[in-house]
């Protein structure tokens, strides 16, 4: 939101089939009139929009070319005048800007970026002389400051540090930053918070622990730092994410509130530092809450059949800005007063969907397993479904596993409206091990990954079959990442699914533990590491789908990215080799250039086409025409 509260700048992403990727540009909304217009037009994707405090510039990140390094583009800070003029990069830094903040006087910008390569390093890169130790950072990452007027760049943090994120105080005198041992995902747990005096460059360490602090922010009165951590009040790991505050000069962090029934996703201070606003995961939805500093009491301030995303709180105008994702909309931008009242929709990008298409409905489903544990999920049904007879059901499992399925039907990976138009219901269960339902629910996977989660999925399917909605003879199961792990387990546990699609799923937990780019959170699942003395190898083996793959009969389609570091392609290759050798119908697609998720539009379209064709074949339905990519 602009400093005067009259305008909102936002990013709109659209598919570009010529370039085979989504492209982002900036749009401006005049809040009083509702007028919206595009303000950037180049084919370079834009992100992280902001305003200078004096309102003279809209800033954003985009690729730039700098003299002296013609072979590389670097993510740079651009300044777009709000009166007239073209966007130009400020300063010249030969590495990607990761994050930035304006100084309070609009004269400087603080940013996070790697140490640029030396002349020797650039020559080595140009000569492909680029070997370096595995899992070690190739350089340092620092906090920098650039002058808006001169473009002069200066380093603020001391050599030898790897800064992962930062927050600038309201008066611009202090910076809180997180410094870690390196760049890997697990290295974030080595990071601690530091406070830097901007003028003297003196830095003091604020926290001392072995758990990651995320989402940290200085209070406006410069007395406390809030942060989020996946620990309990005793700082024991593998708990729902909680909110903590710590004095700015160090001390013992204190958990703020303990009675709330949600998980903290994001948090920001109120203008008077008396409370903290929170974006909270509540299972099938995310909402906004306010936590009081004095007593920790929590007050809910939004409540709808929606999921709050991309939220921020504008302290100058005391308004919330967020995207509300709903069953009928991929998400419009809303603004609301501090207490959640006077909610106003800013954009109306997707109103035409309900006018042009017969959209599926989405409803909450609540059931109990055999032991009486209450579970819930979301069921999407074709818009013309009359509940007169059972219909085919796609059971789609969420990733994480520490996440949850939430309101909204417009995701390319699940393509619910397309599946509904083919006559499918889509069931998305929130099984144990996921977020938003308390510590006991999420910690069900501690000591063994597949204790109850797969049974939760099947009990939900039973509920829908008994309700006369799901045809027991036309069941499909799919999932990606942790959802792929679940698919791989389910096809060894039951043959009730006629077909399956496993995306980036693990098969063998020992090799997965060693090959993946992260291990930290997985150690709790198995009670140790596979290479330690007295390793719990029997637990790794018992919970590996590989252990029971010989039981599989379900035709299984497999997808993975060629460059996936989270769940390496070797897991999918192992699954394919095993199923093929066992005589189970299977196909494996390894997407070139892709990581842990497909970003190229044609790869996304291929997956949708291939899955629907696979399902149609094994449900004995008419062959489905593949949709071609647009010109």
């Amino acid at each position: 939101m602009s400093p005067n509260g009259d305008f909102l700048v936002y990013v709109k992403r659209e598919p570009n089939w010529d370039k085979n990727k989504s492209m982002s540009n900036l749009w401006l909304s005049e809040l009083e009139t509702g007028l919206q217009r595009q303000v950037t037009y180049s084919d370079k994707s834009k992100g992280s929009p902001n305003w200078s405090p004096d309102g003279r510039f809209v800033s954003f990140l985009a690729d730039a070319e700098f003299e002296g390094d013609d072979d590389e583009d670097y993510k740079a800070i651009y300044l777009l005048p709000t009166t007239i003029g073209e966007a130009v990069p400020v300063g010249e830094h030969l590495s990607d800007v990761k994050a930035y903040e304006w100084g309070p006087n609009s004269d400087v910008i603080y940013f996070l970026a790697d140490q640029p390569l030396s002349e020797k390093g650039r020559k080595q890169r140009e000569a492909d002389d680029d070997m370096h130790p595995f899992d070690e950072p190739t350089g340092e990452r620092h906090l920098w400051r650039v002058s808006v007027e001169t473009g002069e760049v200066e380093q603020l943090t001391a050599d030898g540090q790897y800064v992962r994120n930062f927050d600038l105080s309201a008066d611009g005198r202090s910076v809180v930053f997180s410094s870690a041992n390196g760049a890997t995902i697990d290295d974030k747990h080595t990071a601690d918070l530091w406070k830097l005096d901007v003028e003297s460059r003196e830095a003091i360490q604020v926290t001392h622990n072995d758990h990651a602090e995320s989402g940290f922010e200085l209070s406006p009165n410069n007395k406390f730092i809030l942060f989020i951590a996946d620990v309990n009040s005793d700082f024991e790991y593998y708990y729902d994410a909680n909110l903590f505050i710590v004095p700015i000069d160090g001390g013992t962090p204190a958990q703020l509130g303990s009675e709330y029934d949600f998980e903290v996703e994001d948090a920001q201070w109120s203008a008077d530092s008396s409370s903290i606003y929170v974006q909270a995961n509540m299972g099938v939805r995310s909402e906004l809450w306010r936590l009081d500093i004095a007593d920790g009491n929590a007050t809910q301030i939004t409540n709808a059949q929606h999921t709050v995303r991309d939220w921020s709180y504008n302290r100058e105008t005391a308004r919330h800005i967020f995207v509300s994702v709903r069953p009928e909309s991929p998400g419009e931008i809303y603004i609301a007063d501090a207490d959640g009242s006077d909610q106003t929709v800013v954009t109306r990008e997707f109103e035409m969907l309900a006018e042009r298409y017969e959209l599926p409905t989405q409803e909450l489903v609540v059931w109990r397993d055999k032991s009486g544990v209450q579970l819930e999920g979301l069921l999407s049904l074709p818009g013309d479904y009359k509940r007169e007879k059972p219909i085919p059901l796609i059971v789609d499992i969420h990733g994480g596993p520490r996440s949850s399925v939430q309101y909204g039907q417009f995701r390319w990976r699940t393509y619910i409206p397309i599946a509904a138009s083919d006559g499918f219901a889509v069931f998305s269960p929130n099984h144990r091990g996921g977020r938003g339902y308390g510590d006991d629910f999420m910690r069900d996977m501690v000591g063994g990954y597949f204790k109850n989660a797969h049974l939760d999925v099947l009990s939900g399917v039973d509920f829908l079959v008994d309700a006369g909605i799901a045809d027991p003879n036309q069941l499909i199961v799919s999932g990606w990442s942790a959802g792929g792990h679940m698919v791989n387990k389910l096809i060894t546990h039951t043959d009730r699914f006629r077909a399956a699609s496993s995306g980036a799923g693990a098969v063998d937990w020992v090799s997965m533990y060693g090959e993946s780019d992260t291990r930290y959170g997985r150690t709790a699942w198995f009670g140790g590491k596979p290479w330690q003395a007295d390793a719990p190898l029997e637990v790794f083996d018992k919970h590996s789908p590989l252990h029971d793959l010989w039981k599989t009969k379900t035709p299984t389609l497999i997808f993975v990215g060629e460059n996936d570091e989270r769940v390496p392609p070797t897991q999918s290759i192992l699954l394919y080799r095993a199923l093929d050798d066992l005589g189970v119908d299977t196909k494996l697609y390894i997407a070139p250039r892709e990581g842990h998720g497909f970003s190229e539009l044609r790869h996304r379209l291929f997956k949708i086409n291939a899955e629907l064709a696979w399902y149609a074949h094994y449900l004995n339905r008419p062959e489905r025409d593949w949709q071609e990519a647009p010109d």
Side-chain angles (χ1 to χ4, degrees):
M1 186 173 288
S2 61
N4 61 12
D6 292 340
F7 297 92
L8 197 69
V9 63
Y10 61 93
V11 174
K12 181 177 176 180
R13 187 173 64 225
E14 297 178 291
N16 185 319
W17 288 92
D18 289 336
K19 294 184 178 296
N20 195 26
K21 61 182 180 180
S22 295
M23 305 295 290
S24 300
N25 274 293
L26 268 56
W27 286 66
L28 193 69
S29 175
E30 186 175 352
L31 297 181
E32 183 176 349
T33 66
L35 178 66
Q36 297 174 54
R37 59 188 176 92
Q38 188 172 344
V39 293
T40 64
Y41 292 87
S42 75
D43 59 2
K44 296 178 180 179
S45 276
K46 322 298 186 303
S48 304
N50 213 330
W51 298 80
S52 61
D54 60 12
R56 293 174 56 223
F57 297 101
V58 169
S59 54
F60 58 90
L61 295 181
D63 287 342
E65 297 178 4
F66 296 117
E67 292 184 10
D69 204 345
D70 297 334
D71 295 332
E72 294 289 327
D73 286 348
Y74 297 106
K75 198 71 71 180
I77 304 168
Y78 278 77
L79 302 183
L80 175 66
T82 53
T83 51
I84 190 170
E86 295 183 358
V88 294
V90 58
E92 182 173 307
H93 190 81
L94 302 185
S95 69
D96 288 338
V97 173
K98 307 296 182 182
Y100 73 95
E101 282 192 49
W102 280 90
N105 298 322
S106 302
D107 56 341
V108 293
I109 300 175
Y110 296 79
F111 67 92
L112 185 66
D114 291 347
Q115 184 78 262
L117 288 175
S118 64
E119 184 65 28
K120 177 182 177 181
R122 286 205 298 272
K123 289 181 179 179
Q124 288 178 321
R125 183 190 64 196
E126 292 167 3
D128 293 333
D129 182 10
D130 51 5
M131 293 284 285
H132 63 86
F134 180 67
D135 260 5
E136 292 185 14
T138 56
E140 299 174 0
R141 182 169 293 174
H142 288 289
L143 178 64
W144 310 78
R145 182 170 62 185
V146 59
S147 168
V148 172
E149 182 178 354
T150 67
E152 180 182 355
V153 176
E154 54 182 329
Q155 179 181 324
L156 299 182
T157 46
D159 290 341
Q161 291 185 307
Y162 193 91
V163 180
R164 298 188 71 99
N165 214 335
F166 75 97
D167 182 60
L168 180 67
S169 65
D171 59 14
R173 295 179 180 179
S174 303
V175 173
V176 172
F177 66 90
S178 174
S179 181
N181 290 346
T184 69
I185 291 178
D186 287 354
D187 281 336
K188 69 183 181 182
H189 296 280
T190 70
D192 281 302
L193 298 181
W194 292 67
K195 187 192 80 167
L196 172 72
D197 184 284
V198 171
E199 294 309 315
S200 69
R201 308 295 170 85
E202 179 184 355
I204 62 170
Q205 188 171 347
V206 177
T207 61
H208 302 75
N209 60 64
D210 57 356
H211 300 300
E213 300 107 334
S214 64
F216 53 89
E217 184 181 66
L218 270 162
S219 61
N221 63 9
N222 288 337
K223 291 184 177 181
F224 293 98
I225 305 167
L226 69 78
F227 65 87
I228 301 166
D230 293 342
V231 297
N232 62 10
S233 58
D234 295 324
F235 265 73
E236 297 170 319
Y237 183 62
Y238 212 86
Y239 285 82
D240 265 348
N242 289 301
L243 184 64
F244 296 82
I245 57 174
V246 61
I248 189 172
D249 291 320
T252 302
Q255 182 179 344
L256 182 62
S258 59
E259 303 302 321
Y260 45 77
D261 295 323
F262 55 73
E263 183 180 48
V264 178
E265 295 179 316
D266 199 1
Q268 288 185 250
W269 288 96
S270 64
D272 62 3
S273 303
S274 67
S275 60
I276 296 174
Y277 295 104
V278 169
Q279 178 183 306
N281 183 313
M282 301 175 64
V284 296
R285 56 202 175 107
S286 287
E287 300 285 4
L288 299 182
W289 290 68
R290 186 184 68 250
L291 296 182
D292 292 328
I293 298 298
D295 54 21
N297 286 340
T299 304
Q300 187 172 347
I301 59 177
T302 63
N303 187 9
Q305 191 184 51
H306 70 163
T307 302
V308 170
R309 288 281 178 264
D310 302 315
W311 160 77
S312 65
Y313 179 65
N314 186 277
R315 287 197 288 262
E316 289 73 20
T317 61
R319 286 193 282 181
H320 299 279
I321 310 162
F322 58 92
V323 172
S324 173
V325 179
R326 302 179 181 234
E328 69 278 7
S329 170
E332 304 287 6
I333 299 173
Y334 281 70
I335 57 173
D337 288 346
D339 62 359
S341 63
D342 195 24
Q343 291 190 25
T344 304
V345 61
V346 176
T347 58
R348 300 183 183 276
E349 292 287 339
F350 303 110
E351 285 184 341
M352 50 73 181
L353 288 177
E355 299 170 359
R356 295 183 184 178
Y357 304 105
E358 185 173 57
L359 297 178
T361 61
Q362 187 174 59
E363 59 189 55
L364 176 67
V365 179
V366 180
W367 74 97
R368 293 186 182 273
D369 75 343
K370 293 180 180 179
S371 66
V373 173
Q374 181 170 298
L375 301 159
E376 65 181 30
L378 292 171
L379 177 66
S380 298
L381 294 164
D384 60 352
Y385 179 57
K386 305 299 184 185
R387 297 181 185 258
E388 295 172 348
K389 64 177 183 178
I391 60 174
L393 180 73
I394 297 174
V395 182
D396 186 76
I397 317 297
H398 67 69
R402 294 177 62 169
S403 67
S404 64
V405 175
Q406 298 188 311
Y407 281 114
Q409 303 185 102
F410 297 88
R411 304 176 185 92
W412 79 265
R413 191 176 287 146
T414 53
Y415 53 87
I416 290 174
I418 299 173
S421 74
D422 264 16
F424 287 99
V426 179
F427 174 49
S428 305
N430 280 337
H431 56 73
R432 273 172 279 189
R435 294 182 184 266
Y437 298 95
D439 286 329
D440 290 343
F441 191 93
M442 189 273 291
R443 286 175 57 81
D444 183 75
M445 287 182 169
V446 173
Y449 192 92
F450 291 115
K451 290 191 291 187
N452 290 298
H454 62 301
L455 302 178
D456 291 347
V457 173
L458 294 176
S459 68
V461 173
D462 289 337
F463 178 82
L464 295 178
V465 169
D466 292 343
I469 296 173
D471 185 338
N473 298 311
Q474 297 190 78
L475 301 176
I476 302 292
V477 65
S478 67
W480 193 275
S481 191
H485 311 340
M486 183 71 75
V487 170
N488 297 344
K489 172 65 176 180
L490 287 170
I491 61 175
T492 72
H493 185 79
T494 180
D495 61 359
R496 67 190 302 185
F497 295 105
R498 296 287 298 275
S501 176
S502 171
V507 179
D508 172 52
W509 283 120
V510 170
S511 58
M512 170 72 169
Y513 189 96
E515 293 174 351
S516 174
D517 63 354
T518 179
R519 283 148 297 287
Y520 198 92
R522 294 171 178 155
T523 308
W525 297 344
F526 308 106
K529 304 172 183 179
W531 43 72
Q532 69 184 42
D534 299 320
L537 292 175
E538 71 284 352
V539 182
F540 278 89
D541 179 59
K542 178 182 177 181
H543 293 271
S544 293
L546 179 64
H547 182 85
D548 295 308
L549 269 182
W550 61 275
K551 301 177 183 178
T552 305
K553 298 179 181 178
T554 306
T556 304
L557 192 60
I558 309 167
F559 294 94
V560 72
E562 175 185 43
N563 299 323
D564 192 338
E565 295 181 325
R566 189 64 36 81
V567 185
T570 47
Q571 294 294 312
S572 294
I573 294 171
L574 176 58
L575 175 62
Y576 169 76
R577 298 283 189 213
L579 296 182
D580 186 56
D581 186 63
L582 291 165
V584 179
D585 287 352
T586 184
K587 282 187 179 181
L588 167 62
Y589 293 102
I590 302 178
R593 301 172 298 281
E594 300 282 19
H596 192 58
F598 294 174
S599 61
E600 296 185 21
L601 300 181
R602 284 174 172 78
H603 288 159
R604 294 179 172 187
L605 181 58
F606 181 91
K607 178 181 181 292
I608 296 171
N609 279 321
E611 283 185 338
L612 289 174
W614 190 261
Y615 302 159
H617 177 74
Y618 289 101
L619 293 179
N620 296 316
R621 305 178 82 191
E623 183 175 344
R624 194 181 192 281
D625 292 335
W626 283 45
Q627 181 170 322
E628 299 294 329
D631 290 337

